[in-house]
Amino acid sequence: MSAQFTLYSHVIGPNGWKVAQVLCELGLEYNTVMMEFGDGENGVKGPEFLKINPNGRIPALIDHSANDLIIWESGAIIYYLIKKYDTEHKLYPASPEEQALVDTWFIFQVSSFGPYTGQAVWFKVLTGNVNTAATDRYMFEVHRMCKLLSGQLSLEGSNGWLVLGKCTIADLAHLQWVRFLFKLGIDLETEYPAMYKWKEAMLARPAIARSTVGEVWN
C-alpha cells in the first residue's frame, strides 16, 4: 500500500524536517523526495518541481487521499495536517483561546525565529561574514529571541514546553531551527540551558526519532 502523503524536502532544510515531525507525531504515512537547491533536474527551481510549488522552495506536501491536494509553505502544511488529521488534539487544542496561545508561538517561529536564524546563517556562515553589519544585526536578533524562548520555557507550570505545558505544533516548529543554532557557534548547553533541556526532551520523543532518519547534520 502506497503512502498517503509525498513530502518534498531537503537534507538540511529545517522546514521540511518540521513537517516530517508533525506527520510522524500524528502517525501518518509518507514518502519523502529529497530535493536539491538550484535549477537542475532534481532542483527546487527546476521546471518539474515548479509545477508543484511555483515559489521554488521546500517543503511541499501532496495528500494523495484528497485528490492529490498540493500544499506548500511549512506553516500552511502544518495547519492543514492538524486541522484535518489531529482529531484527538494531540498537537493542537480544541478551544479558540488555547489555539490562540499556540498560534502565537507557532507564528513567531514562522515569521521571526526561522527567518532571522536563516539570515544569520547566510551572512555569518555561508558568505563568510563579509557584511559585518548584517551579521551583527541578525546575530543580535537570534540571541534576543533565544532569551525570549528561554524565558518562556522556564515559566512556572510550563513543564519545559513552550505553551499549555505539553508538546504542540509550536514546539515542533521550533525544534529544527533551534538545532541549526550550532552553525552560528551558539552552545545551547552553556548559553541557553532551558533551550538545551527542551531540545533534548524533544529529540527523545519516539516520533521525532522516526522522522529524523536520514539526517546528515546534528
Side-chain angles (χ1 to χ4, degrees):
M1 182 177 178
S2 59
Q4 180 179 349
F5 300 91
T6 298
L7 171 64
Y8 292 86
S9 189
H10 186 272
V11 290
I12 62 170
N15 287 331
W17 289 106
K18 73 187 188 187
V19 171
Q21 289 160 6
V22 172
L23 287 164
C24 285
E25 288 280 354
L26 294 178
L28 299 171
E29 296 294 326
Y30 66 99
N31 290 323
T32 302
V33 177
M34 289 298 182
M35 304 299 296
E36 299 171 358
F37 296 134
D39 57 4
E41 183 177 352
N42 195 43
V44 294
K45 306 297 185 185
E48 292 305 311
F49 186 68
L50 289 175
K51 295 176 184 177
I52 297 170
N53 182 0
N55 195 35
R57 301 284 184 90
I58 60 94
L61 186 76
I62 301 178
D63 186 346
H64 300 294
S65 71
N67 197 30
D68 287 341
L69 175 68
I70 298 172
I71 315 107
W72 46 274
E73 288 294 329
S74 61
I77 294 170
I78 291 171
Y79 272 138
Y80 171 76
L81 292 172
I82 55 100
K83 287 177 182 178
K84 186 169 183 178
Y85 297 106
D86 189 11
T87 56
E88 297 178 2
H89 301 288
K90 294 179 180 179
L91 304 176
Y92 195 66
S95 75
E97 294 80 9
E98 290 190 336
Q99 288 177 3
L101 296 176
V102 173
D103 288 348
T104 297
W105 289 99
F106 182 75
I107 297 299
F108 170 75
Q109 186 282 310
V110 173
S111 66
S112 299
F113 191 77
Y116 276 102
T117 301
Q119 290 298 311
V121 171
W122 173 261
F123 284 106
K124 183 178 177 67
V125 180
L126 299 180
T127 62
N129 197 18
V130 174
N131 188 332
T132 56
T135 299
D136 290 346
R137 165 179 163 71
Y138 286 111
M139 287 300 297
F140 173 84
E141 287 296 322
V142 168
H143 280 288
R144 181 187 67 80
M145 291 185 293
C146 284
K147 292 173 184 175
L148 180 62
L149 288 167
S150 294
Q152 182 69 11
L153 291 167
S154 302
L155 288 176
E156 184 177 355
S158 70
N159 292 326
W161 303 105
L162 280 174
V163 63
L164 302 184
K166 68 173 189 175
C167 180
T168 69
I169 60 169
D171 299 278
L172 293 166
H174 279 86
L175 176 59
Q176 292 303 110
W177 285 101
V178 168
R179 296 182 72 198
F180 222 49
L181 295 176
F182 82 96
K183 289 183 175 288
L184 298 173
I186 294 174
D187 184 347
L188 285 178
E189 190 170 9
T190 57
E191 296 182 67
Y192 302 105
M195 289 177 67
Y196 176 80
K197 183 178 179 181
W198 165 87
K199 183 196 76 168
E200 293 301 300
M202 288 289 289
L203 292 175
R205 295 175 68 84
I208 300 299
R210 289 196 302 273
S211 72
T212 53
V213 172
E215 268 191 333
V216 298
W217 59 280
N218 188 12

